[in-house]
Amino acid sequence: MTPEQTRLVDRVRTALAEESVVREVSMFGGRSFMVREKLAVCALKSGALLVRVDADRHAELLDRPGAAQAEMGAGRTMGPGWIEVAAAALDSEADLTCWVDVALEHNRAVTGTRG
């Protein structure tokens, strides 16, 4: 892992510490965090964060600072529900927590779990 990715992985672990069912896997060229067996977020090598969100909120969330349509390789978008957040937009714990919370909100909806 890159130093940027290692730092982000540690921060995401802390953000997810109270979730009961979390598993880490290598996926999308990064360290993905599966919550209740569904991908929630992925710490990328660049220090950016791939976030799984509700497709109905996709356009709204793209308006946030540092948010961009996620791509699986240059020019190959991943579609609604996949957002990449630039490392610079994750500097504060509040910024990271906000994105992790968005991912967990979607995760709870698709797994039928209450927060």
Side-chain angles (χ1 to χ4, degrees), residues 16-77:
L16 293 174
E18 296 196 18
E19 292 298 315
S20 59
V21 184
V22 178
R23 183 169 60 95
E24 295 180 34
V25 297
S26 293
M27 186 186 308
F28 298 120
R31 175 73 66 172
S32 293
F33 290 82
M34 310 294 285
V35 179
R36 289 174 285 282
E37 295 303 319
K38 302 283 185 189
L39 187 138
V41 296
C42 178
L44 302 174
K45 291 178 183 175
S46 65
L49 189 69
L50 177 66
V51 185
R52 186 73 170 119
V53 303
D54 183 340
D56 291 339
R57 293 191 63 202
H58 187 89
E60 163 208 341
L61 294 167
L62 281 177
D63 286 337
R64 291 186 178 185
Q69 173 62 58
E71 292 185 351
M72 182 61 89
R76 293 178 44 216
T77 63

